Amino acid sequence: MARYKKRPGYSESVPGLFDDLDGPVLFPGAEPLPTHPAIERAARREANLRGKTLGERRRPQDIFSGEDFSPLELSSTIDRLNFISFGSGSSGNCAYVGDGEEGLLIDAGVDDTTVITELRRHGIKMDSVKGIVLTHDHSDHVRFVYKLIRKRTHMHVYCTPKTLNGLLRRHSISNRIKDYHRAIYKEHPFRIGNFTLTAFEVMHDGSDNAGFFITRGSHKMAVATDLGSISERADYYMRQANYLMIEANYDDAMLSAGSYPEYLKGRIRSVTGHLDNAVTARYLQEIYTPSLRNIFLCHLSKDNNTPEIALRQVEDALTAAGATVGDGSNSPYARMASVQLIALPRYDSTPLIPLTLQCPTILCTVKLLHTPHSSQQHPLADPTSHTTPHLTPPFVKTSQADTVTSIARSADSRTQITQIRRFLADNIGRSAPGEARRLHGFHRFHRFHRFHRFHGQGQRCIRMASV
């Protein structure tokens, strides 16, 4: 028989090995542990943020009260589309558009091995690609369509019946592609996975030619890869787009001085041929609105155009329309631009390009100092200066401090966020010459892009960007 010996020095309330822990409370007189005030404030703030919808959340200036503020608050997650071009030009055209769950291919003129390899490199499986849409039946758009789908029964080929007939008549492609075909008709919307597409008429010399207007939620993308002139229906859809893939095929001076025979030059210049850089630039200048976020120049000629010429003409036109043009590099400075402009490479694949309706922002609450009005422009205000500005003593030394909110555009990088936070916390308000070196070291955040003064209150707001 087991014997239990009471151990001296232990209270009766201490649980033993065989005590019923699910029964009555073992410590009836116990009090909850005290909570640190800072932890309680942080928990309350997080509960407020999570418990409200995006539209009901408090403004940043309401979140931080008095001295109890964090120097950083991230904006809400922004949904986005993903875009990849595997090649663009008469050597082969193919592009991918997806939403992180499902996607589709636009044309199939690039080797299937290249397409699959590039998708895998970006973590995209072919199982998530639900279909291929074909713009027309020229070889550089359809050459590898059967190789892409023949072992993937979940995929279908979407094109007009005329395009399918032209494809089978002009090219050596298996008749079995009919088993994968899904007929579409212009101006009639259809769905591929999460996407809704509408085919529209474009002016080209294929058997049947279509552009596509692709929507996913509030995202709108227009694709017009080959067209000699802009038809009324193409104009209707391209004006609505947030992301536009449009042809800029040739430079007229290069085409005139080139070695092409006259009949081929006439075909290219015809209303069912290809678009001149100047025509594309004028059209984009006409239709530009702030809702247009990305422009992809496609199908650039190898012999009669260069990316530099096309980009320069289009960028000048967009600048004349009041746009600030980024290079699509996804750097913080480029993301501050109102529109991203990219010339798609002829043979190479692009990186995965995120398509967002707005740039993600970092909301920073920092202490900036009240300064008297001055007619002189501060060195920070010069956007053309390529020197790193110093925080001079008149800017940082004053008697009154005001908390203002500045918006710094940045990529979604936790490292960049940490570096900006550290810089704002450690350097704003100092007059030592080390600010420039610290700022330069923080992931190329070494230039203040714009400097604004609110004359009514004497507060200054800094927007930060890299060069």
Side-chain angles (χ1 to χ4, degrees), residues 10-32:
Y10 275 74
S11 170
E12 292 293 340
S13 62
V14 176
L17 180 61
F18 300 101
D19 287 336
D20 183 11
L21 298 181
D22 296 328
V25 180
L26 296 174
F27 306 98
E31 297 180 356

Side-chain angles (χ1 to χ4, degrees), residues 55-97:
E56 296 174 343
R57 288 185 179 176
R58 295 175 297 171
R59 295 171 298 175
Q61 57 264 37
D62 296 331
I63 295 175
F64 310 114
S65 59
E67 295 298 324
D68 177 28
F69 68 90
S70 168
L72 179 64
E73 181 204 353
L74 287 177
S75 65
S76 60
T77 303
I78 300 173
D79 64 327
R80 71 180 195 181
L81 301 183
N82 298 321
F83 175 83
I84 305 172
S85 171
F86 307 104
S88 181
S90 57
S91 302
N93 299 267
C94 185
Y96 167 84
V97 178

